[in-house]
Amino acid sequence: GTTITISSNHWVMAWAGLEINTLAILPMISKSHHPRAIEAATKYFLTQATASALVLFSSMTNAWHTGQWDITQLTHPTSCLILTSAIAMKLGLVPFHFWFPEVLQGSPLTTGLLLSTMMKFPPMTLLFMTSPSLNSTLLVYMALLSAALGGWMGLNQTQIRKILAFSSISHLGWMAIIITYNPKLTLLNFYLYALMTTAVFLTLNSIKASKLSTLMTAWTKTPSLNAMLLLTLLSLAGLPPLTGFLPKWLIIQELTKQDMATAAIAISLLSLLSLFFYLRLAYCATITL
């Protein structure tokens, strides 16, 4: 499904790839037959089906007005608006973010990893391909709201999967703010985010930690792994000497070049909110090292 979407030029092929992706991940979410897992799968299915329908609707509206089914030829303003909403829903950008923490909480850690990285790649590719014609003001507002809510709502969480879900939402804010100005930076940010999140999820999976309380006692079993987890979490937070700071630095630089210093300052300050819960996670991981 991912390969079909990222290699297609025609909207219907891209839509078909997105649908295959959704159907493939559903059994993985509901594998445990726990009521919460079934609820997560249902929420995920309904959200993704709605978003896919909107993708198809926006492409049909564009084809109706321009006679073009090519993904890069999305020029009609209404179609652009509907597509932005559809992809925001698929990714979990604010204000369509409500499903994501719930679905991640109801899924196993390995499925959560797929939902946070692999499943976001096809919608990101569609954003990348349509970026020249998207409404930049709308995306900037969505990005700032994502960074704010992702940081703010993650503050009082004790479930690690929910914290990682809100972290994903705030990272998506950084990706969305720059997509219309420099799409390659968005891809760089996404790749690095996927790499660091994979490291965090796999570490948590190997030490079987899903709550902060279990993370606190995990250091006795694997002290070196927990030390690496500390560094990965700080990198995900975007602290200067670590890898995660690179895309943020480049994005701030690009926004300043585009005369958007206010937006750059706003998103930098809002990311301090998420820094707090990353530090708390890192502290729990290495509490007595």
Side-chain angles (χ1 to χ4, degrees):
T2 303
T3 314
I4 290 171
T5 304
I6 64 178
S7 59
S8 57
N9 285 322
H10 198 283
W11 273 114
V12 175
M13 283 295 284
W15 169 81
L18 291 171
E19 286 296 313
I20 292 168
N21 248 4
T22 303
L23 293 173
I25 199 95
L26 286 173
M28 295 176 77
I29 300 172
S30 56
K31 190 171 60 179
S32 65
H33 299 297
H34 189 277
R36 183 174 279 157
I38 306 299
E39 184 192 343
T42 312
K43 281 178 178 171
Y44 185 75
F45 173 71
L46 291 173
T47 315
Q48 298 299 315
T50 311
S52 293
L54 282 174
V55 167
L56 208 53
F57 180 60
S58 76
S59 55
M60 282 169 71
T61 315
N62 188 63
W64 182 272
H65 287 282
T66 62
Q68 285 283 349
W69 279 100
D70 198 314
I71 291 179
T72 51
Q73 302 297 319
L74 191 82
T75 49
H76 194 256
T78 315
S79 302
C80 290
L81 202 64
I82 298 168
L83 183 86
T84 309
S85 310
I87 291 186
M89 199 181 284
K90 275 211 163 290
L91 288 168
L93 264 171
V94 175
F96 308 106
H97 66 289
F98 298 103
W99 64 273
F100 191 54
E102 300 297 322
V103 170
L104 214 63
Q105 182 56 33
S107 314
L109 277 168
T110 41
T111 311
L113 166 61
L114 284 175
L115 285 169
S116 302
T117 54
M118 198 66 188
M119 302 302 288
K120 292 209 155 96
F121 191 49
M124 268 316 216
T125 314
L126 289 179
L127 263 189
F128 182 82
M129 287 195 278
T130 54
S131 58
S133 49
L134 294 177
N135 185 336
S136 54
T137 318
L138 175 69
L139 279 165
V140 167
Y141 281 121
M142 278 172 130
L144 290 171
L145 277 172
S146 295
L149 274 167
W152 185 44
M153 291 174 79
L155 291 177
N156 62 345
Q157 300 295 333
T158 55
Q159 296 286 341
I160 296 175
R161 276 168 295 187
K162 275 200 172 175
I163 292 177
L164 288 170
F166 287 120
S167 127
S168 179
I169 291 167
S170 61
H171 272 274
L172 280 169
W174 282 89
M175 293 176 216
I177 200 164
I178 202 69
I179 187 93
T180 46
Y181 304 105
N182 194 336
K184 285 180 183 170
L185 269 185
T186 297
L187 278 191
L188 172 73
N189 196 341
F190 181 74
Y191 292 146
L192 286 174
Y193 163 74
L195 192 71
M196 294 181 292
T197 304
T198 305
V200 171
F201 267 103
L202 293 178
T203 307
L204 292 170
N205 195 37
S206 69
I207 59 179
K208 300 284 179 286
S210 60
K211 295 198 291 285
L212 287 179
S213 53
T214 43
L215 187 62
M216 281 181 184
T217 54
W219 70 272
T220 46
K221 288 176 275 185
T222 51
S224 52
L225 192 60
N226 275 44
M228 292 309 291
L229 179 62
L230 162 82
L231 285 172
T232 316
L233 285 165
L234 293 180
S235 180
L236 208 50
L239 281 181
L242 301 159
T243 321
F245 177 62
L246 173 72
K248 291 188 174 182
W249 181 29
L250 292 172
I251 287 170
I252 290 167
Q253 202 175 6
E254 185 63 33
L255 285 172
T256 317
K257 278 183 196 165
Q258 301 285 348
D259 290 330
M260 290 179 64
T262 326
I265 293 165
I267 201 162
S268 309
L269 290 174
L270 289 170
S271 70
L272 292 176
L273 283 168
S274 49
L275 174 65
F276 176 80
F277 64 72
Y278 284 123
L279 285 172
R280 191 174 60 171
L281 262 180
Y283 174 67
C284 287
T286 53
I287 195 158
T288 41
L289 268 184

